[in-house]
C-alpha cells in the first residue's frame, strides 16, 4: 500500500506500509470502543519512507510488478520508483530528496494528474497542461542500457549519463537527477489540459483521455498520433476522470465538474451520447473506477465528500433491489460511503479482497493540513441477492425479537 504526506510539517514523502484488513463481519469490541478518528490506525504499519521531490499529486502502481510505481508532481516529468530497491529515509525537514529510479520526459508543461499504468505491458501514460497525451515504455530504459553497455561491459556497469529533469514548472531551476527515457509517442487532440488517461484493459496500443475541453478521446497508437475517435462535449463542463471496464471493454466511464457520471459504449461513440447519465453527487466528480469483481458495479467520488457505489444493471428495473432504499435515490445507486470530511480525491478497489476499498480525502481545511486515508468494506448483506439475504436474516429472527424484549 502506498500513501503520501504533503501537510508541510515533514518533507513530501511516499510511505510504503502493510495493512491488516480484518475479515468480513469481524469487529473486535475493544477496537470499536477504543476507536479514535484522529489517531493512526494500529492496522497500518509503515515500513519504508521515500522523500519525494515535490508534492505528490497522483500515484499509480504497475500491475505486472507492484514494487514499481509512477508519480506525478508539479513538473512536466513522470517519476518511476522501485520501492523495494529504494533506501528507507528519515523524513525530517531539510533532508535531501530521494533519487527516482527513472524519469520519463516528453511533456512541455506541467503534467500533474493524468497518469495510468498499462495492465498488459510495462507502459506508462500521462497527460498535462500542454494538452498532450504521452506514452512511454519502461522497457526502453532497459534496452538503452543493453546497447550502451555492449558485450565488453559487465551487467552492473551503467553506460547512460545522468539526465536532469525539471522539478516544478515555470522557471524553477531546481532539478531531479536520474536516468531518463524519452516518449514512445506524443498524441495531440485536446484543446485544453488533459485531466485523466486510461489504457484499454486488453491492449497496450489503445487508450483514452479526457480533459478540460469536455472531450473524450480514444487513441490507437498503431494508427498514428491523431485521435481515433473524439467525442465533443461528452459533458457540460471539465471532465476530471475516466475508467475502462476490464470485464467489458466496450464500456467507459467519465466523471465531470458538472457533477455527473456518464457511461459510454465505444461501439456507439459516433453518436456522442452516453448509454447512461448518472446523477448522485452535489459537487464535481473527481474519480470513477470499475469494480474488479463485478462487471456492472463501479464507484465514484466527488468534492462533496461522498463515495458512491453503483450497479448499472439495476437501472431501469421495475423492482428496486439495490441496497440504498432512500426514496429519492438515483437509479443504480445502492451504497454511499460518507465517512470522509472533505472531497474524496482518489480511491481504489482491492483486487485481492472483494468489496474492500481504500479512499483518500483532502482534509486540509478541516484538519490543518494533510489528508485522510480510509480502508473500508461494505457489509455483504447489501450486495448479495435479496432472497439469499432475507433467508439468512430469517434465521436470526428469534434472536432479534428476543433482544427487543430484553
Amino acid at each position: 500500500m502506498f500513501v503520501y504526506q504533503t501537510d508541510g510539517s515533514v518533507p513530501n514523502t511516499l510511505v510504503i506500509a502493510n495493512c491488516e484488513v480484518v475479515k468480513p463481519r469481524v469487529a473486535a469490541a475493544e477496537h470499536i470502543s477504543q476507536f479514535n478518528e484522529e489517531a493512526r490506525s494500529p492496522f497500518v504499519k509503515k515500513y519504508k519512507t521515500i522523500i519525494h521531490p515535490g508534492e505528490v499529486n497522483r500515484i499509480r502502481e504497475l500491475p505486472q510488478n507492484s514494487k514499481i510505481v509512477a508519480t506525478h508532481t508539479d513538473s512536466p516529468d513522470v517519476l518511476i520508483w522501485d520501492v523495494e530497491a529504494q533506501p528507507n529515509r528519515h523524513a525530517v525537514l531539510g533532508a535531501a530528496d530521494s533519487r527516482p529510479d527513472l524519469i520519463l520526459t516528453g511533456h512541455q508543461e506541467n503534467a500533474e494528474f493524468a497518469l495510468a499504468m498499462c495492465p498488459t505491458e510495462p507502459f506508462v501514460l500521462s497527460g498535462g497542461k500542454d494538452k498532450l497525451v504521452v506514452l512511454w515504455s519502461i522497457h526502453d530504459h532497459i534496452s538503452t542500457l543493453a546497447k550502451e553497455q555492449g558485450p565488453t561491459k559487465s551487467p552492473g556497469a551503467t553506460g547512460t549519463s545522468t539526465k536532469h529533469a525539471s522539478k516544478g514548472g515555470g522557471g524553477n531551476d531546481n532539478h531531479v537527477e536520474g536516468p531518463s527515457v524519452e516518449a514512445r509517442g506524443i498524441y495531440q487532440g485536446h484543446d485544453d489540459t488533459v485531466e485523466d488517461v486510461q489504457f484499454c484493459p486488453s491492449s497496450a496500443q489503445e487508450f483514452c483521455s479526457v480533459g478540460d475541453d469536455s472531450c473524450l478521446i480514444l487513441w490507437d497508437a498503431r494508427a498514428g498520433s491523431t485521435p481515433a475517435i473524439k467525442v465533443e462535449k461528452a459533458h457540460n463542463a471539465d471532465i476530471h476522470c475516466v475508467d475502462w471496464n476490464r470485464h467489458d471493454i466496450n464500456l467507459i466511464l467519465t466523471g465531470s465538474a458538472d457533477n455527473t457520471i456518464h457511461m459510454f459504449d465505444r461501439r456507439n461513440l459516433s453518436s456522442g451520447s452516453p448509454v447512461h447519465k448518472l446523477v448522485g453527487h452535489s459537487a464535481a466528480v473527481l474519480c470513477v473506477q470499475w469494480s474488479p469483481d463485478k462487471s456492472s458495479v463501479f464507484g465514484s467520488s466527488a468534492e462533496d465528500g461522498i463515495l458512491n457505489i453503483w450497479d448499472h444493471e439495476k437501472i431501469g428495473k421495475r423492482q428496486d433491489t439495490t441496497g440504498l432504499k432512500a426514496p429519492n435515490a438515483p437509479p443504480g445507486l445502492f451504497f454511499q460511503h460518507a465517512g470522509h470530511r472533505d472531497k474524496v480525491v482518489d480511491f481504489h478497489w482491492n483486487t485481492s479482497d472483494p468489496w474492500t476499498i481504500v479512499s483518500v480525502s483532502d482534509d486540509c481545511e478541516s484538519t490543518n493540513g494533510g489528508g485522510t486515508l480510509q480502508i473500508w468494506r461494505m457489509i455483504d448483506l447489501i450486495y448479495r441477492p435479496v432472497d439469499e439475504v432475507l433467508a439468512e436474516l430469517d434465521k436470526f429472527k428469534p434472536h432479534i425479537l428476543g433482544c427487543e424484549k430484553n
Side-chain angles (χ1 to χ4, degrees):
M1 180 182 300
F2 307 93
V3 298
Y4 43 85
Q5 302 173 335
T6 57
D7 63 2
S9 62
V10 295
N12 297 293
T13 57
L14 292 177
V15 177
I16 298 89
N18 288 320
C19 177
E20 178 187 351
V21 180
V22 295
K23 296 179 181 179
R25 301 197 186 186
V26 174
E30 62 269 21
H31 291 152
I32 296 174
S33 63
Q34 297 173 11
F35 177 74
N36 179 2
E37 185 180 355
E38 304 298 329
R40 293 181 181 272
S41 171
F43 297 103
V44 179
K45 300 187 185 302
K46 179 174 67 175
Y47 72 87
K48 182 174 286 188
T49 298
I50 298 169
I51 300 179
H52 194 273
E55 182 172 315
V56 182
N57 297 324
R58 190 64 56 88
I59 181 169
R60 291 293 181 260
E61 178 184 280
L62 185 66
Q64 305 92 41
N65 185 349
S66 61
K67 305 301 181 183
I68 305 298
V69 299
T71 58
H72 257 326
T73 184
D74 297 333
S75 159
D77 307 307
V78 178
L79 305 182
I80 302 295
W81 306 86
D82 182 342
V83 297
E84 188 75 15
Q86 283 284 330
N88 187 32
R89 301 289 304 280
H90 186 47
V92 294
L93 286 175
D97 294 333
S98 298
R99 186 176 185 264
D101 294 276
L102 195 60
I103 300 168
L104 309 184
T105 64
H107 278 293
Q108 300 171 9
E109 296 183 43
N110 281 2
E112 299 174 340
F113 295 102
L115 183 63
M117 303 284 255
C118 180
T120 58
E121 299 284 345
F123 287 5
V124 182
L125 196 65
S126 170
K129 290 184 176 180
D130 54 10
K131 311 171 190 176
L132 301 176
V133 174
V134 184
L135 175 70
W136 297 270
S137 170
I138 297 176
H139 273 176
D140 286 348
H141 171 58
I142 300 172
S143 300
T144 301
L145 284 179
K147 290 179 182 178
E148 293 184 353
Q149 287 172 1
T152 60
K153 293 188 178 182
S154 66
T158 302
T160 55
S161 59
T162 299
K163 303 289 183 69
H164 297 275
S166 59
K167 178 183 175 183
N172 192 333
D173 292 331
N174 293 325
H175 292 85
V176 180
E177 291 189 356
S180 68
V181 167
E182 296 180 354
R184 274 203 175 187
I186 297 178
Y187 305 89
Q188 301 180 358
H190 283 282
D191 298 320
D192 208 332
T193 299
V194 180
E195 291 285 355
D196 200 12
V197 290
Q198 192 57 254
F199 281 97
C200 174
S202 62
S203 173
Q205 304 298 324
E206 297 178 66
F207 38 90
C208 61
S209 60
V210 294
D212 290 346
D213 55 4
S214 304
C215 293
L216 164 65
I217 299 181
L218 268 62
W219 310 85
D220 189 333
R222 297 162 295 195
S225 60
T226 56
I229 303 175
K230 185 173 183 177
V231 182
E232 305 274 2
K233 283 293 177 183
H235 282 266
N236 294 323
D238 300 354
I239 306 178
H240 293 318
C241 48
V242 63
D243 197 31
W244 208 317
N245 193 321
R246 70 175 68 184
H247 300 288
D248 184 348
I249 61 172
N250 291 312
L251 298 182
I252 297 173
L253 290 173
T254 57
S256 170
D258 64 10
N259 305 354
T260 68
I261 302 141
H262 288 182
M263 183 189 303
F264 291 92
D265 188 327
R266 73 168 181 169
R267 296 167 296 188
N268 194 32
L269 284 177
S270 58
S271 69
S273 300
V275 178
H276 295 298
K277 296 181 180 180
L278 301 111
V279 182
H281 290 284
S282 60
V285 179
L286 301 179
C287 185
V288 290
Q289 190 177 100
W290 291 98
S291 166
D293 301 297
K294 189 175 181 182
S295 61
S296 62
V297 172
F298 61 90
S300 64
S301 66
E303 290 185 356
D304 57 10
I306 301 296
L307 201 162
N308 287 331
I309 305 298
W310 309 77
D311 187 341
H312 73 79
E313 288 186 346
K314 306 293 185 182
I315 299 174
K317 290 196 174 182
R318 293 180 61 185
Q319 182 179 2
D320 180 13
T321 58
T322 59
L324 194 64
K325 295 297 183 179
N328 298 321
L333 179 64
F334 72 95
F335 184 80
Q336 286 190 316
H337 177 66
H340 288 280
R341 293 184 175 183
D342 213 324
K343 55 186 178 183
V344 183
V345 296
D346 206 357
F347 72 91
H348 282 275
W349 299 80
N350 188 330
T351 56
S352 303
D353 192 354
W355 299 95
T356 299
I357 292 176
V358 56
S359 52
V360 180
S361 58
D362 185 357
D363 304 336
C364 293
E365 294 183 3
S366 57
T367 61
N368 297 319
T372 300
L373 180 146
Q374 297 182 3
I375 301 170
W376 52 277
R377 182 199 296 116
M378 70 185 79
I379 190 169
D380 60 357
L381 297 176
I382 294 175
Y383 55 81
R384 283 166 50 201
V386 173
D387 293 343
E388 184 180 310
V389 170
L390 292 177
E392 179 175 338
L393 291 177
D394 193 57
K395 295 179 181 179
F396 293 95
K397 186 176 179 180
H399 175 72
I400 296 173
L401 294 176
C403 292
E404 289 181 350
K405 292 178 182 180
N406 295 332

